[in-house]
Amino acid sequence: LEFDTDFSDSELCSRFEEKGIHISPVSDFYVNKDSAPEHKFILNYSNIDVFSLAKALVIMSQCITH
């Protein structure tokens, strides 16, 4: 997922975590953090309930805009 926001990746992670959404920025997987793209996240959807996903996307939308 990629977000269009002015929040930092760490701030976004904190905001998501406060709402019970566990998501990792791509930068967590880079050795050189300076070359990592910002606002790109990995979403593990292998065991996600479709109804939960819809609710999570609404919450995520609120987190990146407020």
Side-chain angles (χ1 to χ4, degrees):
L1 296 174
E2 184 173 3
F3 300 108
D4 183 14
T5 183
D6 292 329
F7 295 118
S8 69
D9 287 356
S10 61
E11 189 169 0
L12 283 175
C13 283
S14 294
R15 289 169 159 264
F16 294 147
E17 195 71 32
E18 287 173 4
K19 301 292 185 179
I21 297 172
H22 310 289
I23 191 169
S24 299
V26 171
S27 60
D28 281 357
F29 301 92
Y30 274 67
V31 173
N32 181 358
K33 303 290 186 195
D34 294 334
S35 66
E38 288 189 315
H39 312 311
K40 293 188 183 219
F41 289 78
I42 296 172
L43 176 65
N44 180 356
Y45 55 87
S46 62
N47 192 27
I48 194 165
D49 173 42
V50 175
F51 299 107
S52 297
L53 178 59
K55 181 179 176 184
L57 291 173
V58 169
I59 293 169
M60 292 168 80
S61 175
Q62 293 168 349
C63 287
I64 65 171
T65 57
H66 297 104

